[in-house]
Structures are given as structure tokens and as C-alpha cells.
Amino acid sequence: FSSQTPIRATLFPGDGIGPEIAESVKQVFKAADVPIEWEEHYVGTEIDPRTQSFLTWESLESVRRNRVGLKGPMATPIGKGHRSLNLTLRKELNLYANVRPCYSLPGYKTRYDDVNLVTIRENTEGEYSGLEHQVVRGVVESLKIITRAASLRVAEYAFHYAKTNGRDRVSVIHKANIMQKTDGLFLKCCREVAEKYPEITYEEVVIDNCCMMLVKNPALFDVLVMPNLYGDIISDLSAGLVGGLGLTPSCNIGEGGIALAEAVHGSAPDIAGKNLANPTALLMSSVMMLRHLNFSDKAEQIQNAIVSTIAEGKYRTADLGGSSSTTEFTNAICNNL
Amino acid sequence: FSSQTPIRATLFPGDGIGPEIAESVKQVFKAADVPIEWEEHYVGTEIDPRTQSFLTWESLESVRRNRVGLKGPMATPIGKGHRSLNLTLRKELNLYANVRPCYSLPGYKTRYDDVNLVTIRENTEGEYSGLEHQVVRGVVESLKIITRAASLRVAEYAFHYAKTNGRDRVSVIHKANIMQKTDGLFLKCCREVAEKYPEITYEEVVIDNCCMMLVKNPALFDVLVMPNLYGDIISDLSAGLVGGLGLTPSCNIGEGGIALAEAVHGSAPDIAGKNLANPTALLMSSVMMLRHLNFSDKAEQIQNAIVSTIAEGKYRTADLGGSSSTTEFTNAICNNL
Ligand SMILES: CC(C)[C@H](C(=O)O)[C@@H](O)C(=O)O
Ligand SMILES: CC(C)[C@H](C(=O)O)[C@@H](O)C(=O)O
């Protein structure tokens, strides 16, 4: 049993396979005796006027109060008059940095075996401003917004992350040769912050070239920081190098020290409720949450159990070429703790 | 000797390694007895007011007259008051579609051996509008412009290309879940065009997911069509899968049937003038130019000679792990004709 007063954390199981993989996290945390008490919140069935979305106001309040949470996949219901659930969370909680580590898993073979990088994505503005309009019939425009405040904030986060995580290079990814003002401002902010971290190697890489280098030689990269859409693209590309979004974790960092860890794969409605889903991404995300809470030992223990279960190869879910159920895979992890 | 009246084509050798690799094309065309007469144009040394760039008006007139050309790398001179050379060409010649085929080269080993796809990039608008401004201090915006006319035009090109090149699938790459108006209009135009090509499988893939699928299983893709920046990104990523921009060709298609084939790699000033450059991308681009001119036999002959020279492996330039000079590699291709 745990002697510590438990920490309360918000849990959004999400839709589709969400509840099953959330169950897996709860089981592993119990087996590892992690002193967390979950406050569970499901996505609502009608639009909450206070959030303008199917997310309930109570669930956002829960994250604001606990300052820490874990989130499964949320499919945005179809229809007009409300906002995407994921975007609402990012906006409402001011989740300004999205941290997506990505490394080759020992024992799970892909074309690459030397990936070990972290994408840090600006998560509140850029191409995701939502500002769009029709100029005249047949001519539409979207606004990409870059601010000095948000750029400095995410750059600071990236350099601080590199320094405190023993990483020695930060690459800023941009297209400032074309978007001279917006990406130019982002670059300028990164340069300013870089000067405060002389011990960290700083480099600037154009987004198209970055993609080419990533598929040729991902080992060239360490920490990467970039505007919103590039982060969306580069993090998926990187995940692809090591097996896909089913294996990679993420954590959103918000103003005031909020941390919302999140599995960024889809809700896979086709296999929902069938005990077939791979809980690895959500489990790995929960490990990021534990690290954020300074539960380093528990984090390490769970992380190792996941990695060795996959490496042993006896219990793997179908997406990894195995035939284990979610429960069997989860049990195997618990046995490896 | 050739019995045909030669066709005049514009040649922009470009900067850096440009003149050397252009020399290689001239030599191979001579050896293959291709009935082309080159009209060579170099980038000017001062700004031409009529083009607002270092490109001379005469060189643009040459392409307009000949309707066909080949272009090496052009580094845009540093400084203010003029436009990027590459962008000026695209804008002035209304080069609306950028066609970038990408396939695994037999004999040149990478992590992938089953790539065979064609990126078709909208080349005149989108994120490349050049419309940017500071809203207030510390807040800047760039406009992404999508028009119905340009979207229909590139979609038409893509489906027509697929049909006439024996390809049976067109994937449109977008982020319409976020940029609902701009990418939404692009999608809508592609759907309209797709209806006229029932024999071609049509699918829509979100850009982030596309990148993940490309690195996991590029054989899933055939022809891909997309807005400007996505094309920039996806074409570099794809090139990376098969060895890089030194090995992949491109051709720009303009209003009125203009075709400007182009090597899209950099001008590599570090090795310029040293007889070390790999001319493959420009040679492959010249093959695209020949196909456009319906010189299918010559195109096939040169293409095969390039591929078999690389596959034999005896003569390779340094970037491919060999130690041949540009001249030795070119001579080997001529011997293989
Ligand atoms: C679901 C979608 C809105 C989201 C994004 O584009 O950010 C997803 O792709 C992600 O990476 O979290
Ligand atoms: C040089 C640059 C302006 C250009 C682009 O961004 O289009 C290049 O990356 C390309 O792909 O042709």
C-alpha cells in the first residue's frame, strides 16, 4: 500500500477504445501502487454553453483544480455549432506546449532503430487560429497568427526541457524563407531564447528539409520546436518511424503548470469494446504524467514494464502483429512490474 | 544525326553546381542524338525592373516563346527589394502544377524499395501568397489563399495525369478538419473533378496522417495532389525515402502548355566547380521534359541509361557513396545509352 496522500488527477477516458485503454492504465497504476486518485470525466452528450462544445464545464474545472490529467482519444461529434473537443481543451486550458517524445522501442522492429527525439509543438495559435473567411466567391483565406508571447513561451519551454532532460540540441523547424513575417518572428524568438542557453546547440531547419532528413537519418535530431501545424506533421511523421501513434506518448503543458497527458491516436470505433485495443500510447502518456509529478521511480518502473513486455513479444495486440487482448497485454505488463 | 528540325528549349543552368550538371545534360542529349537546341540563360547580376528580380526579362520571354525549358538550382541572392528567383519563375510563368515523381531506384539501396508515387503540388497560391503583415507589435499574420480556379486547375491536372500515365489512384492531401474554409474548398474542387474520373480511385488523407503512412508504407500511395506547402513538404519527404533530392526529378506545368523541368535540390556552393556534383536529378528532369515533348523513345533510352549506371554501381558520385567525378558518371551514362 502507499503511504502517501494520493494525488488527484483528472481522467478523460474518451470515446471508442478510450475506456478500455483507460482501464488498462488504472490497472497498471494499481499494480504499481501509484498514489493517484482518478477523477473521471466523460465527454457530455449535449453542448455545454459554457465551453461551446460537448466537453462539460465540470471536466475543465477538474483539470484546472487538479492541474494534472490524462486523456484518451476523443472523436468530435459531427454537426455544426460547436468546437472540436481537442481544440477546445487546448484553448480553454491554454495548453501552450505539446510535448511528443518519440524513440525506437527495443524489440519492436521498424525500418529505423535509432530514433530518439522530442517534438515540442506550439499548441495555441499559428495555422490553428480558426480565423478564416471567404474574400469573394471562390476565394477563401485562412490566417496564420504568430505572436511574440506564444513563441517565446514555447521556445523557453523547449530549451528548459532540453536542459532538464539531458538533451543537448534544439532544432527550430520553420519555413521563414516563405513566411518571412510569421515564421520569421517565431525564429527570432527562438534565437533570443537560445542565447540564454549557450550549452545547448541551436540550429534552424526548414520544414521540407527536416522531413527529408528525418526519413533519411532521424538520429540527427534531438529536441525540435516549431509552430503548430509543423508540430502536427513532424510528430506524426516521427511516430511513423517507430511504429505509429499507438506507441507514442504526448503531454500538453499549460499556463500555471497544468499538465494534460494524452494519447494522440484516434478512437478506433471499429475495434471499440472488443478488448483488442493497444493501450501503449495512453500508458506511455501516463508515464509522462508521472514524470511531471516527480514520481520518477514509478514512471521508470511502468515504462520498463511496458517496453519489456513489447520486447518479449509473447503478448502483443493485433496492431503489433500479435493476438493478445488488451487485458492479456495489460496483465503481462503488471507481471513485469 | 537527327533528321528532325530541332526543337528550341530554354536552359537555365543556374548557380553553384548548376552549370556542371547542365553540361552533363547537354552531353547526354548529344550522345543520344536528341533533337533539342538549347537557348541558355543565366541569372542576371542586377535586378531587372520588369521582373523585380535577378531573373532577366529575356530569359522569361525565352520560356514563353519556346514553351519548354530545363532549370538547374538557383540560389536567391541575399538582400532586399527583390523576389526569390524560384517564386518569380512560378508566378511570372504561371506554373500552376509542380509534378514530382518519386520511385525507388533499382540498385540504390535505402530503407525503402517500393516507392512509386507522384506528388502534384499546387504551385501558385496557398501559404506562398506572400501576403503577410504585422497586426500590432508582436502579432503577425500570414494569409493562406485558396481559390476555386487554381484548385480546380491542379485537380484537373492530377486526374488527367493519373489517367494518361496508367495510374489508378489519386489521394488529396489536406488539413480541412482545421482549415475548413481553405483546405475545405480545395477538397471540394478535388471531389468535383474526381466525379469526372470514375475509373480512378479517389481518397482524402489528412496531411499528418499522410506523413505517417508514407514512412510506414509508401506503397499505399500513387498520385497525390495538394495545396502548395503540403506539396513542398510531402515531395521532400518522399524524395528522402528513395535517397534525396539529388535523385528525384520535377516538372512545372504552366498555363498555355508551358513545361519547365527543374532539379529542386540546392546549388551546393561548397562543391561547385569541383566536378563532384551528381547530375541525376537534372538528367531525370530533362527526361520529364522529353516525355512532355513526346520524345518517348529518347526519354526511355536516357532514363534506362541513368538507372542502369547507378545500379551497376561502378561509377557513382560521392553523394551516393562512390568516388566518380561528374564527368566520369556522365560518360558512363553515355556509354550505357
Ligand atoms: C485531431 C486533430 C485536430 C489534431 C491536430 O490537428 O492537432 C491531431 O491531429 C493531433 O495531432 O493532436
Ligand atoms: C527554395 C524554396 C522557395 C522552394 C519552395 O519552398 O517551394 C523549394 O523548397 C522547393 O521545393 O522548390
Side-chain angles (χ1 to χ4, degrees):
Chain A
F1 77 102
S2 162
S3 55
Q4 286 182 261
T5 324
I7 300 227
R8 292 182 79 82
T10 306
L11 178 63
F12 291 100
D15 327 300
I17 56 171
E20 294 159 82
I21 60 178
E23 203 48 59
S24 170
V25 173
K26 288 193 272 182
Q27 187 186 330
V28 172
F29 272 34
K30 205 169 246 166
D33 202 16
V34 179
I36 293 273
E37 199 167 282
W38 295 111
E39 224 175 86
E40 275 187 54
H41 285 276
Y42 280 84
V43 174
T45 51
E46 45 192 67
I47 296 172
D48 186 320
R50 289 164 298 180
T51 68
Q52 289 169 58
S53 87
F54 287 87
L55 281 172
T56 65
W57 183 252
E58 289 70 29
S59 66
L60 297 186
E61 280 298 295
S62 165
V63 185
R64 288 198 187 97
R65 194 173 50 241
N66 296 327
R67 300 172 103 79
V68 64
L70 179 67
K71 171 188 169 293
M74 288 182 187
T76 297
I78 313 266
K80 296 229 158 182
H82 62 91
R83 296 190 294 173
S84 142
L85 301 178
N86 293 303
L87 297 193
T88 303
L89 274 170
R90 293 176 196 171
K91 276 252 153 84
E92 292 291 329
L93 300 174
N94 209 348
L95 301 173
Y96 65 85
N98 188 204
V99 184
R100 301 195 180 180
C102 182
Y103 44 87
S104 301
L105 280 177
Y108 184 68
K109 219 180 132 41
T110 69
R111 292 176 160 100
Y112 300 83
D113 57 15
D114 52 355
V115 181
N116 182 6
L117 56 86
V118 184
T119 297
I120 297 183
R121 165 182 181 184
E122 200 292 319
N123 215 20
T124 64
E125 56 180 35
E127 307 80 356
Y128 285 62
S129 72
L131 300 169
E132 295 188 289
H133 69 280
Q134 175 171 304
V135 183
V136 293
R137 235 180 112 80
V139 179
V140 287
E141 62 185 31
S142 302
L143 270 55
K144 167 171 171 172
I145 309 284
I146 298 283
T147 67
R148 184 169 159 78
S151 305
L152 283 175
R153 189 169 58 172
V154 74
E156 273 293 358
Y157 187 85
F159 278 92
H160 182 258
Y161 179 96
K163 187 171 175 172
T164 52
N165 285 273
R167 295 189 171 262
D168 56 18
R169 171 185 294 263
V170 172
S171 311
V172 49
I173 313 305
H174 68 95
K175 189 81 195 181
N177 50 336
I178 297 299
M179 281 159 280
Q180 301 183 358
K181 295 214 169 142
T182 49
D183 285 6
L185 176 57
F186 192 84
L187 270 187
K188 192 166 170 287
C189 293
C190 289
R191 283 179 199 160
E192 277 179 43
V193 175
E195 288 198 355
K196 299 195 282 171
Y197 292 84
E199 70 280 24
I200 308 236
T201 306
Y202 170 72
E203 67 171 359
E204 298 171 354
V205 186
V206 178
I207 174 88
D208 46 338
N209 191 31
C210 176
C211 290
M212 187 165 71
M213 289 165 75
L214 272 172
V215 300
K216 287 183 77 170
N217 188 3
L220 292 172
F221 293 99
D222 194 349
V223 174
L224 302 92
V225 62
M226 65 206 84
N228 212 337
L229 180 68
Y230 308 156
D232 181 48
I233 292 172
I234 297 285
S235 61
D236 268 44
L237 191 170
S238 307
L241 302 177
V242 304
L245 291 179
L247 297 174
T248 53
S250 95
C251 188
N252 297 281
I253 304 297
E255 210 66 89
I258 283 180
L260 182 63
E262 171 188 27
V264 295
H265 55 67
S267 60
D270 49 321
I271 58 161
K274 297 189 180 150
N275 200 15
L276 290 173
N278 181 355
T280 301
L282 194 66
L283 280 165
M284 297 269 210
S285 301
S286 76
V287 168
M288 288 185 79
M289 188 189 94
L290 293 178
R291 289 231 164 80
H292 175 83
L293 291 168
N294 284 320
F295 288 150
S296 315
D297 294 350
K298 299 289 181 198
E300 205 59 25
Q301 198 190 342
I302 296 175
Q303 165 87 12
N304 291 340
I306 303 167
V307 169
S308 49
T309 304
I310 294 174
E312 282 158 22
K314 194 168 168 211
Y315 298 99
R316 281 187 184 175
T317 45
D319 57 315
L320 301 186
S323 60
S324 299
S325 66
T326 309
T327 324
E328 283 161 350
F329 178 68
T330 307
N331 290 338
I333 293 172
C334 292
N335 289 333
N336 272 330
L337 277 170
Chain B
F1 76 102
S2 162
S3 56
Q4 288 183 260
T5 324
I7 299 230
R8 293 181 77 82
T10 306
L11 177 62
F12 292 100
D15 328 300
I17 57 171
E20 296 159 79
I21 60 178
E23 203 48 61
S24 170
V25 172
K26 289 192 272 183
Q27 188 186 329
V28 171
F29 273 34
K30 206 169 245 166
D33 203 16
V34 179
I36 293 273
E37 199 168 280
W38 295 111
E39 226 176 84
E40 274 187 52
H41 286 274
Y42 280 84
V43 174
T45 52
E46 45 192 70
I47 296 172
D48 186 319
R50 288 163 298 178
T51 68
Q52 290 170 57
S53 88
F54 288 86
L55 282 171
T56 65
W57 183 252
E58 289 71 29
S59 66
L60 296 186
E61 280 298 294
S62 166
V63 185
R64 288 198 187 96
R65 195 171 52 242
N66 297 327
R67 302 172 101 77
V68 65
L70 179 67
K71 170 187 170 294
M74 287 181 185
T76 297
I78 313 264
K80 297 229 158 181
H82 62 88
R83 295 190 294 174
S84 143
L85 302 177
N86 293 304
L87 297 195
T88 304
L89 274 170
R90 294 176 196 171
K91 276 252 154 85
E92 292 290 329
L93 299 173
N94 208 347
L95 301 173
Y96 66 85
N98 189 204
V99 184
R100 301 196 180 178
C102 182
Y103 45 87
S104 301
L105 280 176
Y108 183 67
K109 217 180 134 41
T110 69
R111 291 176 160 100
Y112 300 82
D113 57 12
D114 52 355
V115 182
N116 182 6
L117 56 87
V118 184
T119 297
I120 297 183
R121 164 182 182 184
E122 199 294 319
N123 214 21
T124 63
E125 56 179 35
E127 307 78 357
Y128 285 63
S129 72
L131 300 170
E132 295 188 290
H133 70 279
Q134 175 173 306
V135 183
V136 295
R137 236 180 113 80
V139 181
V140 287
E141 62 183 32
S142 302
L143 270 56
K144 167 170 171 173
I145 309 284
I146 298 283
T147 67
R148 182 169 160 79
S151 305
L152 283 175
R153 188 169 60 172
V154 75
E156 273 293 358
Y157 187 85
F159 278 92
H160 182 258
Y161 180 96
K163 186 171 177 172
T164 52
N165 285 273
R167 294 187 173 264
D168 55 19
R169 171 186 295 262
V170 172
S171 312
V172 49
I173 313 304
H174 68 95
K175 189 82 193 178
N177 48 337
I178 297 299
M179 280 159 282
Q180 302 183 358
K181 294 215 170 142
T182 50
D183 285 6
L185 176 57
F186 192 84
L187 270 188
K188 190 166 172 288
C189 293
C190 289
R191 283 179 198 160
E192 277 179 44
V193 175
E195 290 198 353
K196 298 195 284 173
Y197 293 84
E199 70 280 25
I200 308 235
T201 305
Y202 170 71
E203 66 171 0
E204 299 172 353
V205 186
V206 178
I207 173 88
D208 47 338
N209 190 33
C210 176
C211 290
M212 188 166 70
M213 288 166 74
L214 272 172
V215 301
K216 287 183 76 170
N217 188 4
L220 293 173
F221 292 101
D222 193 348
V223 174
L224 302 91
V225 62
M226 65 205 86
N228 212 336
L229 181 67
Y230 307 155
D232 183 47
I233 292 172
I234 296 286
S235 61
D236 268 44
L237 191 171
S238 308
L241 302 177
V242 304
L245 291 178
L247 297 173
T248 52
S250 95
C251 188
N252 298 281
I253 303 298
E255 209 67 89
I258 283 181
L260 182 63
E262 172 188 26
V264 295
H265 55 67
S267 60
D270 50 320
I271 58 160
K274 297 189 179 152
N275 200 18
L276 291 173
N278 181 356
T280 301
L282 194 65
L283 281 164
M284 297 270 210
S285 301
S286 76
V287 168
M288 287 186 80
M289 186 188 94
L290 292 178
R291 290 232 163 81
H292 175 84
L293 291 168
N294 284 321
F295 288 151
S296 316
D297 293 350
K298 299 289 181 198
E300 204 58 25
Q301 196 190 341
I302 296 175
Q303 165 86 14
N304 290 340
I306 302 167
V307 169
S308 49
T309 304
I310 293 174
E312 282 157 24
K314 192 165 171 213
Y315 298 100
R316 281 187 183 175
T317 47
D319 58 315
L320 301 187
S323 60
S324 298
S325 66
T326 310
T327 324
E328 284 160 350
F329 178 68
T330 308
N331 290 338
I333 293 171
C334 292
N335 289 334
N336 272 331
L337 278 170

